[in-house]
Amino acid sequence: MLWQELKTYLHKIDKEDKTFILMGDFNIDILKYGSNDYANRFLNQMYSSQFYPVINRPTGITTNPETVIDNIFINNIFVDCSSGILISDLSDQLPVFQILSNLKIPNPKMISYKKRKVTKENINK
């Protein structure tokens, strides 16, 4: 993503005055902050937009040196949440997670559900 686009999106989010969580494979190793210009620019932009990483341990464990390229950023450090890294041998990148305990669920009347009625007649159709 271009720096100006990132800055524009983060500025729009800031105007919303809501808690936002950005997560993904950013492919920017935040462990290289201080020694890599790309990591410096990325984290400086995130910090100046009040987004802070919740993953601070290596998620790339088979690489040398270890990396943190998969991350979760949140713009509200006061929200009650737990985050971490799952141990798995499915990939060389460990999965990350975040659990929000005070997440507000929309009005149940506004949520629509679809389901299928499984009968012999419907299966034959």
Side-chain angles (χ1 to χ4, degrees):
M1 176 179 288
L2 300 172
W3 293 115
Q4 188 57 43
E5 288 180 48
L6 176 63
K7 190 175 182 178
T8 300
Y9 287 126
L10 293 175
H11 183 69
K12 286 180 184 179
I13 289 171
D14 189 41
K15 286 183 175 184
E16 292 286 325
D17 194 34
K18 295 178 184 177
T19 298
F20 277 85
I21 300 168
L22 301 174
M23 58 181 66
D25 182 352
F26 294 93
N27 277 331
I28 300 171
D29 186 4
I30 67 168
L31 287 180
K32 291 185 179 157
Y33 183 75
S35 64
N36 178 285
D37 185 53
Y38 205 68
N40 291 347
R41 288 182 69 189
F42 176 69
L43 273 181
N44 287 339
Q45 181 60 62
M46 297 303 280
Y47 290 150
S48 67
S49 300
Q50 306 301 313
F51 274 90
Y52 302 97
V54 299
I55 304 299
N56 57 10
R57 303 256 188 249
T59 56
I61 57 171
T62 61
T63 57
N64 188 9
E66 298 168 325
T67 61
V68 178
I69 62 173
D70 302 317
N71 215 314
I72 303 168
F73 291 85
I74 190 164
N75 68 341
N76 182 351
I77 59 172
F78 301 107
V79 70
D80 187 18
C81 67
S82 298
S83 58
I85 304 168
L86 299 174
I87 304 300
S88 171
D89 61 357
L90 295 176
S91 171
D92 63 342
Q93 295 291 320
L94 299 176
V96 297
F97 70 90
Q98 183 161 3
I99 301 169
L100 298 171
S101 61
N102 59 351
L103 184 65
K104 293 181 181 177
I105 299 174
N107 184 344
K109 294 177 184 175
M110 297 178 68
I111 299 174
S112 64
Y113 296 95
K114 293 182 181 182
K115 57 185 175 181
R116 293 181 183 193
K117 187 172 182 182
V118 180
T119 64
K120 282 189 175 190
E121 181 183 336
N122 287 341
I123 291 172
N124 289 334
K125 287 182 184 178

